[in-house]
Amino acid sequence: MPEPSADADRPRRVAIVGAGPSGFYTAAALLNGDEFDYSIDLIDRQPAPYGLVRYGVAPDHPKIKAVARVFERIIEDDRVRYLGNVEVGHDLQRADLLAHYDQVVYAVGGESDRRLGLADEDLPGSHSSTALVAWYSGHPDFIDLPVDLSGSTAVVVGIGNVAMDVARVLARPAEDLATTDIADPALATLRESALEDLYVLARRGPAQAACTPSELKEIAHLEKVDLIANPADMELDEASEEFAQEDRQAGKNVDLLREIAAAPPCCAPRRIHLRFLSSPKEIVAEDGKVSGVRIERNRLTPTDSGYLQAVGTGTFEELPADLLVRAIGYRSLPLADLPFDDRRGIIPNAAGRILDPATEEPLPREYVVGWVKRGPTGLIGSNKPDGAETAAAMIEDFPAAPPAPQGEPAALDALLAERGVRVVRYADWQRIDAEEIARGKAQGRPRVKMVRIEEMLEFLDGA
Ligand code: NAP
């Protein structure tokens, strides 16, 4: 067991910035060890905890959201406090965290999105999946996103699980979503949707589809939606065929896609068209908004590493698109004063220890976990081993770490009070949670979300 630090009289103070899955799994890994006595603050800029479990998991996937029960048990541990509605970079600066906590972990996820690099990417009618998912999930920052579903066509770029979620939520009948916790303003817009044809663009072939077979199966079996794939796209090149035989997920996806392509489209009011080997090359605009996407047909060529890369063939086509959703990946944002690897979109680190880019040495007392540590891939459960790795580095480093000068929770509370921050504590969240569930019960839904911060604070404190 490590030697106790110089200031062993008080519990070891840890700030976890970001109360999403990676933050919770890091907290759990620290608490599960018996190395030290802990006092952990989970800090989030939203009043509501759970990050992407609340604001990213699709509303029609309630089973995945059930992981919040696991997180509740962690937050209810006496050694943990929840400090919601506290924004690091605004209410608290990095220097404040280092003054008040022995160790700090950044678990801030990926708040932004990868860009296609095309002109007009920000025209009205064009949205990132990051924004669209947050919109239908009731994230306060995105609830006013101007999503216009009055047109009949949409294009979703990318074929990862997020693209599948977006295509499914846009295409499935709104009455199916009316029994979920989807945000009310989004549900109202979806009820009025005139959408008929939605194109999902995959820049590579069926064997390289990033989505999981279960997501594909789900979208294939949607009521009142035809899923259409082109049989010609199912003729794979030799390298892809080999890959589909070796890789379980790729093989399953190819089998499913071949079944889908073989089934004749029926008569559903909405259609999802899967278009493989297709890259958007130009956003077509009319009257200052998106009206179409010019796409180029690709072929696959292996790079030196064996990766099968999409290369344009010079054959173009224009698809109509009243709505364009770029679902090509999340991206983390830099945090003030902390190093950031702009190319990879992560905070540079070694097993969770933040590295100073000038020296490549770890910064004392500062760590990273989750998407901002390893990039925006992986399921919620991927954060468990990731959190354990970061926690192990923290435990190993702690004996040599100088204690924070103001390591009493009361000192931090006084600082926040002095700055006029209305901290949303766990008991406050429990009241919001109970109210949302009660409102949902009246409508036969798991909950009706409060979608604005002011609404939550007014509910807590009165108007
Ligand atoms: P992802 O799995 O990395 O998929 C990104 C997709 O965008 C890929 O199809 C990729 O194609 C494509 N893409 C990237 N850059 C592109 C470009 N410039 N032009 C055209 N296409 C481009 O990312 P994600 O869908 O955002 O999902 C993030 C993580 O969350 C994943 O690990 C996912 O499994 C997980 N997730 C899971 C669930 C679930 O379990 N239900 C739901 C949502 C998300 P290439 O393959 O060619 O790069």
Side-chain angles (χ1 to χ4, degrees), residues 44-49 54-55 82-86 140 422 424-425 428-429 432 452-454 456-457 460:
D44 203 288
R45 72 189 181 86
Q46 291 302 323
R54 179 172 167 97
Y55 293 128
Y82 177 60
L83 307 182
N85 200 35
V86 177
R422 185 354 175 154
V424 173
R425 308 262 167 187
D428 296 323
W429 160 247
I432 294 173
R452 293 181 195 281
I453 293 180
E454 310 85 75
M456 294 183 188
L457 300 185
L460 292 174

Side-chain angles (χ1 to χ4, degrees), residues 229-246:
N230 182 354
D233 284 350
M234 302 305 138
E235 287 161 25
L236 306 188
D237 59 276
E238 206 177 305
S240 295
E241 193 67 68
E242 216 170 275
F243 179 64
Q245 275 166 23
E246 284 163 9

Side-chain angles (χ1 to χ4, degrees), residues 94 337-339 353-356 361-367:
R94 180 183 175 207
D337 305 337
L338 280 172
R353 294 179 175 97
I354 298 182
L355 297 179
D356 179 342
E361 289 297 316
L363 297 178
R365 307 202 284 131
E366 288 178 296
Y367 301 82

Side-chain angles (χ1 to χ4, degrees), residues 266-431:
C266 178
C267 42
R270 283 191 181 143
R271 292 161 290 279
I272 297 175
H273 308 262
L274 300 178
R275 300 292 292 264
F276 289 93
L277 296 165
S278 302
S279 283
K281 287 291 159 180
E282 189 189 331
I283 296 170
V284 184
E286 210 179 286
D287 298 332
K289 74 179 281 298
V290 174
S291 66
V293 182
R294 200 165 123 85
I295 60 172
E296 185 175 16
R297 180 84 186 162
N298 296 327
R299 64 185 160 73
L300 296 178
T301 341
T303 61
D304 291 345
S305 68
Y307 172 85
L308 288 170
Q309 193 178 23
V311 178
T313 60
T315 304
F316 292 88
E317 180 191 353
E318 190 176 317
L319 294 176
D322 299 297
L323 174 78
L324 170 66
V325 185
R326 295 125 31 206
I328 61 168
Y330 285 81
R331 188 177 155 83
S332 295
L333 292 173
L335 284 163
D337 305 337
L338 280 172
F340 194 72
D341 178 339
D342 203 49
R343 193 182 59 78
R344 298 176 64 202
I346 60 165
I347 293 179
N349 69 92
R353 294 179 175 97
I354 298 182
L355 297 179
D356 179 342
T359 61
E360 302 218 344
E361 289 297 316
L363 297 178
R365 307 202 284 131
E366 288 178 296
Y367 301 82
V368 69
V369 70
W371 280 359
V372 73
K373 170 187 177 187
R374 63 188 151 85
T377 55
L379 308 177
I380 291 170
S382 314
N383 291 298
K384 203 171 178 178
D386 191 9
E389 181 185 63
T390 293
M394 294 169 72
I395 290 166
E396 191 182 323
D397 296 350
F398 183 60
Q406 299 178 62
E408 295 300 330
L412 193 269
D413 293 349
L415 181 70
L416 288 168
E418 190 185 300
R419 290 180 182 171
V421 183
R422 185 354 175 154
V423 179
V424 173
R425 308 262 167 187
Y426 185 58
D428 296 323
W429 160 247
Q430 283 179 305
R431 284 178 58 209

